[in-house]
């Protein structure tokens, strides 16, 4: 059984593929802006985990724009 949160990620990714969306870069920029606003409330572990997510979003956005 897939974890419900992972299932949401999977469904969102499938929808973006169908739409041929380039949202990854915009999402990475939005995450970076939110992280800066939440800087005082995020732990070092939060920064590492969110940095990984941001890196994946950025990579995906760059890849989609090249297509």
């Amino acid at each position: 059984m897939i974890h419900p949160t992972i299932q949401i990620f999977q469904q969102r990714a499938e929808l973006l593929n169908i739409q041929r969306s380039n949202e990854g870069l915009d999402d990475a920029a939005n995450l970076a802006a939110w992280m800066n606003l939440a800087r005082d409330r995020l732990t070092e572990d939060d920064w590492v985990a969110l940095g990984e997510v941001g890196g994946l979003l950025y990579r995906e956005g760059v890849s989609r724009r090249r297509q």
Side-chain angles (χ1 to χ4, degrees), residues 39-67:
R39 179 179 299 274
D40 296 336
R41 297 185 308 270
L42 297 173
T43 67
E44 187 64 32
D45 287 342
D46 294 336
W47 275 92
V48 170
L50 291 169
E52 290 292 322
V53 172
L56 292 169
L57 289 170
Y58 186 86
R59 182 180 69 184
E60 181 67 18
V62 168
S63 174
R64 287 178 184 272
R65 288 204 176 162
R66 288 182 182 158
Q67 293 177 353

Side-chain angles (χ1 to χ4, degrees), residues 1-15:
M1 178 176 186
I2 298 174
H3 189 280
T5 305
I6 298 298
Q7 201 167 26
I8 290 169
F9 294 164
Q10 182 181 25
Q11 290 169 351
R12 180 68 178 144
E14 289 169 358
L15 179 61

Side-chain angles (χ1 to χ4, degrees), residues 18-44:
I18 290 168
Q19 295 172 337
R20 302 182 74 71
S21 174
N22 291 329
E23 286 188 30
L25 289 177
D26 293 338
D27 290 340
N30 289 338
L31 177 60
W34 178 83
M35 287 173 68
N36 283 326
L37 289 173
R39 179 179 299 274
D40 296 336
R41 297 185 308 270
L42 297 173
T43 67
E44 187 64 32

